[in-house]
Amino acid sequence: MSDEQYRLWRAGNDWYDANYTNPSHIDPTIYDHDLNPGAVAWFKATAVHLIDRVEDYLEILAAHDVSCVRVESTNPGKIIYEDSEQVVVVPWESGKPGGHEL
């Protein structure tokens, strides 16, 4: 990353650290690969103030030819953590009842 990209990345991470709950601070095992394989956090659609700030990260990825897509889902997996702004889920397994690939 360039110095400017690093500055934007660091400032973004610092802002997120100060402005929303880190689920692993509530439950240190939340991202444990054995307990919660593939656990991933999703912002809720109502957390616009958090989603809007993702743009700087997308610009950094694009500058380095890293493709990404926005994914939205009403049922991304088994919820293992939830607060007013996000959920952490273990994704549904493809081929299982109620499951799908994202």
Side-chain angles (χ1 to χ4, degrees), residues 6-68:
Y6 180 81
R7 187 191 66 72
L8 284 172
W9 172 81
R10 182 72 267 155
N13 283 6
D14 291 346
W15 185 90
Y16 279 108
D17 288 345
N19 288 283
Y20 87 109
T21 303
N22 180 333
S24 62
H25 292 168
I26 305 298
D27 178 358
T29 67
I30 199 84
Y31 294 111
D32 181 284
H33 297 291
D34 293 324
L35 295 174
N36 299 310
V40 62
W42 291 67
F43 288 136
K44 291 182 176 181
T46 55
V48 176
H49 66 291
L50 298 174
I51 296 168
D52 285 348
R53 297 185 67 95
V54 171
E55 190 63 35
D56 286 341
Y57 294 96
L58 299 178
E59 289 176 13
I60 293 169
L61 291 171
H64 294 275
D65 296 320
V66 176
S67 63
C68 61

